[in-house]
């Protein structure tokens, strides 16, 4: 039997960390017919949590009526948290009761909610409540069973970052024997992309800080470049088959110069700046393909879980905090001194 109340963190509005409020009186969600309720054991910190809190996604001014992942106004209070590992505690009437007790990872890209297939996918912890609480509700199809000896914190490091990276590599059709350049390679998505591209048999060149170069080579990068390096001067023009970009920013044009004719560019972040200068001639004369990567392609998350179970990839947990210390965890996240993921343990 589920209890009536739970503890967790709610976002009360757009702004700073003071908008994150610890509560002990949150209602425990009840499953709809096609839902499961997951007892959350660990949840990781992501860029999207902070971007949502600060209304970074908004393209307007004033009232943030487009500041969610889907471009609509966020509803408050909201329980954030896209990266979740836990076990199923309750199921809806149309879900096999044998799933109770199953250890699961929650797919953060939500295509079904309240028994309906969504026209525009949601993001777990943005358009619906997520995992920064003791319990979370999700459609049963998005709670993926996982069989692994890894800890809850280690498993919680995978869903958001690794599925984003796997989606980028899938969309860019990265193949064995190809050369892939990964920017922002020490972050959660970047370090995942290094591992996942290497697992595909690609040669990986990682852009990172010199202090983190050794860690990236340990993950499988054949070569590392500094963020200050001129990638064309270092590698030569037309050398990469694909670019996996999480940075954008002022050095963005060089990423297209380093691509071979017919190369593929995939992007899922803009931590270096979201406005870039594009010479359209480079795009069409080199027959480049661009992929904006947000919604997960079908099968991506299931493929990721299979890689976890086979041991193709390993978790990178940089730090662990108690959920009640989420503000400290996000402050550490913002300093960008870590490699991998910062995880919150749920009491």
């Amino acid at each position: 039997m589920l209890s009536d109340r739970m503890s967790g963190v709610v976002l009360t509005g757009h702004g700073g960390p003071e908008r994150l409020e610890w509560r002990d009186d949150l209602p425990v969600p009840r499953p709809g017919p096609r839902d499961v309720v997951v007892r959350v054991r660990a949840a990781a910190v992501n860029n999207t949590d902070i971007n949502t809190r600060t209304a970074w996604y908004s393209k307007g001014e004033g009232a943030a009526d487009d500041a969610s992942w889907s471009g609509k106004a966020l509803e408050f209070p909201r329980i954030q948290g896209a990266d979740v590992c836990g076990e199923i505690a309750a199921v809806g009437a149309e879900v096999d009761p044998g799933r109770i007790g199953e250890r699961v990872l929650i797919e953060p890209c939500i295509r079904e909610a309240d028994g309906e297939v969504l026209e525009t996918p949601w993001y777990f912890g943005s358009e619906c409540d997520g995992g920064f609480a003791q319990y979370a509700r999700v459609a049963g199809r998005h709670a993926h069973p996982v069989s692994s000896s890894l800890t809850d914190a280690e498993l919680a490091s995978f869903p958001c970052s690794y599925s984003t990276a796997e989606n980028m590599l899938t969309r860019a059709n990265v193949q064995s024997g190809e050369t892939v350049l990964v920017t922002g390679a020490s972050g959660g998505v970047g370090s995942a992309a290094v591992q996942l591209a290497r697992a595909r048999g690609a040669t990986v060149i990682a852009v990172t800080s010199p202090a983190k170069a050794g860690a990236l080579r340990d993950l499988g990068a054949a070569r590392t470049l500094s963020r200050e390096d001129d990638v064309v001067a270092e590698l030569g023009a037309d050398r990469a088959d694909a670019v996996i970009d999480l940075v954008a920013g002022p050095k963005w044009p060089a990423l297209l110069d380093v691509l071979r004719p017919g190369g593929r560019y995939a992007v899922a972040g803009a931590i270096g700046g979201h406005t870039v200068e594009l010479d359209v001639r480079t795009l069409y004369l080199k027959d480049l393909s661009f992929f904006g990567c947000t919604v997960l392609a079908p099968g991506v998350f299931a493929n990721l879980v299979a890689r976890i179970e086979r041991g193709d990839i390993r978790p990178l947990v940089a730090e662990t905090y108690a959920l009640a210390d989420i503000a400290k965890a996000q402050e550490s996240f913002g300093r960008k001194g870590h490699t991998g993921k910062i995880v919150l343990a749920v009491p």
Side-chain angles (χ1 to χ4, degrees), residues 252-333:
W252 185 83
L255 300 180
L256 305 192
D257 293 333
V258 84
L259 278 170
R260 291 190 174 102
R264 292 95 65 197
Y265 168 86
V267 61
I271 59 175
H274 51 69
T275 301
V276 299
E277 182 176 322
L278 169 64
D279 186 333
V280 175
R281 294 170 297 181
T282 304
L283 172 60
Y284 74 80
L285 290 175
K286 293 182 72 171
D287 286 302
L288 302 178
S289 296
F290 282 13
F291 300 95
C293 303
T294 296
V295 175
L296 299 186
V300 162
F301 200 82
N303 291 341
L304 173 62
V305 172
R307 287 196 182 277
I308 294 169
E309 292 181 330
R310 291 195 302 265
D312 292 347
I313 50 180
R314 61 186 177 93
L316 288 175
V317 177
E319 299 171 347
T320 303
Y321 291 80
L323 177 59
D325 292 328
I326 186 172
K328 293 179 181 177
Q330 290 191 353
E331 180 183 1
S332 177
F333 183 91

Side-chain angles (χ1 to χ4, degrees), residues 9 51 60 63 79 119 123 151 181 200 214 229 261 286 301 306 327 332:
V9 174
N51 291 343
I79 298 172
E119 182 177 348
Y123 201 78
T151 67
L181 179 70
R200 288 170 175 246
D229 287 340
K286 293 182 72 171
F301 200 82
S332 177

